[in-house]
Amino acid sequence: MLLVVVGHVTLTNVFQDPDYPIVSAVERIIYSFHMPLFIFISGWLFYYTCLKKNKPYKEVMKAKFKRLGIPFLAFTVTTMGLKLLFAPYMKRIVDVHEIMNTFLFFSSNPLGEMWFIIVLLVLMSLYPIYKNMVQKSNSACILIVVSLIISLFPPPCDFFQLRRVAYMLPFFVMGILFCKYGWAERLFTFKFLFIFTCIFFCCNVFQFLPEKMNFIMPWAGIFFSLSLCGNSVRYVPGLFESFRDYTFQIFLMGIFFQMAIRFIFQRFPSDTLYGIFYLSSIVCGLYIPVIISRIVMRGPKILQNCIGL
């Protein structure tokens, strides 16, 4: 989630702005793997909370629609209202076409980040397939192969974010299998940390891979992250304690406060104050949603559901 927030700073509203090469490099590296990592973790937790406990399909989907569907609706409608209110400042206006794509085809959303929720719901709706296929190692291997084939040959439509679903499927499946078989724990040694750090830096910093081999980059980022966190937790287990219980709320709300800081910076641009605005965007993106969540937890249940608590 920290990577997501840092990736959303973009103060000049120009992704990988060449005028700020260090920030551009940070954005490029983050976007090479952070969403596959997010999906991988989601698959890991999906096994840990649902598949491992052998929960009924109806119970799983009811819980997921409540946890994901209600915030999706609440934040989509809120964003539409804000875009209509500040229409002169918006790059993409809300019209009938946008509303249809949002609520009928789920191929776009006024708040672009919401694609992630639709992708998660579609991936999780395949619960019975995962449940049957991960029982034996042979069928698990078949599941991996099929997910890779689907990723390489995605469906030719964007309904229900199916292209993104196809791309993310192998990461979700591998997250499930890493949790089931305990593979992640094997990476929690300094030897693997050194190996994956070298691979990660070679892939993302030195950019030595040919374009056809870019598929290695997200896996390098995932394994580097797993190994880094697995080794770090022994010494600093409370490293992300101040916000780690509110990652979904940060995902939902953080972007609004980062957009506000971006708006201010664009009205009063300053190279001297760039660093202060940059850090402020990260801090606000992380901690204002935490503060709001703690306040809302004392309020009505429906409001808690709207922000995924």
Side-chain angles (χ1 to χ4, degrees):
M1 185 51 60
L2 178 60
L3 293 172
V4 170
V5 171
V6 174
H8 283 168
V9 175
T10 319
L11 290 176
T12 62
N13 219 22
V14 178
F15 184 65
Q16 296 185 25
D17 191 338
D19 291 336
Y20 299 92
I22 295 177
V23 173
S24 176
V26 169
E27 289 179 340
R28 175 179 53 77
I29 293 170
I30 286 175
Y31 274 79
S32 73
F33 76 97
H34 78 309
M35 291 315 295
L37 172 63
F38 207 158
I39 292 288
F40 181 96
I41 294 170
S42 299
W44 200 100
L45 292 172
F46 190 61
Y47 180 85
Y48 188 77
T49 59
C50 300
L51 287 160
K52 185 178 180 180
K53 298 178 180 179
N54 199 29
K55 290 184 177 181
Y57 182 62
K58 183 178 180 181
E59 178 185 335
V60 170
M61 294 314 298
K62 181 180 178 181
K64 296 306 176 185
F65 273 108
K66 180 180 178 181
R67 182 76 189 279
L68 299 174
I70 294 176
F72 173 86
L73 182 63
F75 278 85
T76 298
V77 171
T78 300
T79 305
M80 281 187 172
L82 289 173
K83 284 203 166 191
L84 289 171
L85 186 63
F86 297 100
Y89 303 102
M90 297 296 110
K91 285 186 175 181
R92 185 160 52 96
I93 63 172
V94 175
D95 54 18
V96 175
H97 185 260
E98 176 76 357
I99 293 172
M100 288 181 62
N101 282 339
T102 298
F103 295 111
L104 183 61
F105 304 121
F106 298 97
S107 58
S108 68
N109 191 283
L111 186 60
E113 291 72 23
M114 288 291 106
W115 68 264
F116 176 73
I117 292 183
I118 298 301
V119 168
L120 268 186
L121 283 172
V122 174
L123 288 171
M124 291 173 175
S125 70
L126 304 176
Y127 177 84
I129 296 176
Y130 309 134
K131 185 176 179 180
N132 291 321
M133 296 295 286
V134 301
Q135 298 301 322
K136 298 179 180 180
S137 56
N138 289 341
S139 56
C141 289
I142 294 173
L143 180 60
I144 294 173
V145 172
V146 171
S147 68
L148 288 172
I149 292 173
I150 292 174
S151 179
L152 290 171
F153 303 99
C157 68
D158 290 322
F159 297 163
F160 286 88
Q161 300 290 337
L162 289 181
R163 288 181 186 272
R164 283 186 167 126
V165 169
Y167 174 70
M168 294 295 181
L169 182 59
F171 303 109
F172 193 78
V173 167
M174 290 302 291
I176 289 173
L177 296 177
F178 263 71
C179 184
K180 177 177 173 58
Y181 294 108
W183 293 338
E185 287 78 0
R186 300 178 186 180
L187 307 179
F188 298 167
T189 65
F190 283 111
K191 178 181 73 174
F192 278 113
L193 176 59
F194 176 77
I195 292 171
F196 288 121
T197 299
C198 291
I199 294 173
F200 177 75
F201 271 82
C202 287
C203 290
N204 290 284
V205 178
F206 301 120
Q207 302 182 62
F208 76 103
L209 287 176
E211 187 175 346
K212 291 183 179 179
M213 297 184 67
N214 280 346
F215 67 89
I216 294 176
M217 294 171 70
W219 293 108
I222 288 172
F223 292 139
F224 166 72
S225 300
L226 289 175
S227 188
L228 177 64
C229 291
N231 282 280
S232 300
V233 74
R234 299 169 184 167
Y235 307 102
V236 280
L239 182 61
F240 302 116
E241 197 172 56
S242 61
F243 66 85
R244 66 184 179 191
D245 291 335
Y246 301 96
T247 51
F248 187 35
Q249 289 69 46
I250 293 169
F251 176 82
L252 291 168
M253 292 186 282
I255 188 64
F256 292 100
F257 306 106
Q258 292 188 280
M259 288 169 64
I261 291 176
R262 188 184 305 164
F263 178 82
I264 296 171
F265 179 81
Q266 289 173 5
R267 292 297 175 275
F268 307 99
S270 169
D271 287 341
T272 305
L273 298 177
Y274 186 92
I276 295 175
F277 274 95
Y278 191 90
L279 292 175
S280 298
S281 178
I282 295 172
V283 172
C284 291
L286 286 174
Y287 291 107
I288 294 181
V290 172
I291 294 170
I292 292 174
S293 298
R294 289 176 175 172
I295 294 172
V296 170
M297 285 179 72
R298 303 173 186 173
K301 188 68 177 178
I302 183 62
L303 195 55
Q304 295 177 30
N305 291 337
C306 284
I307 64 170
L309 287 169

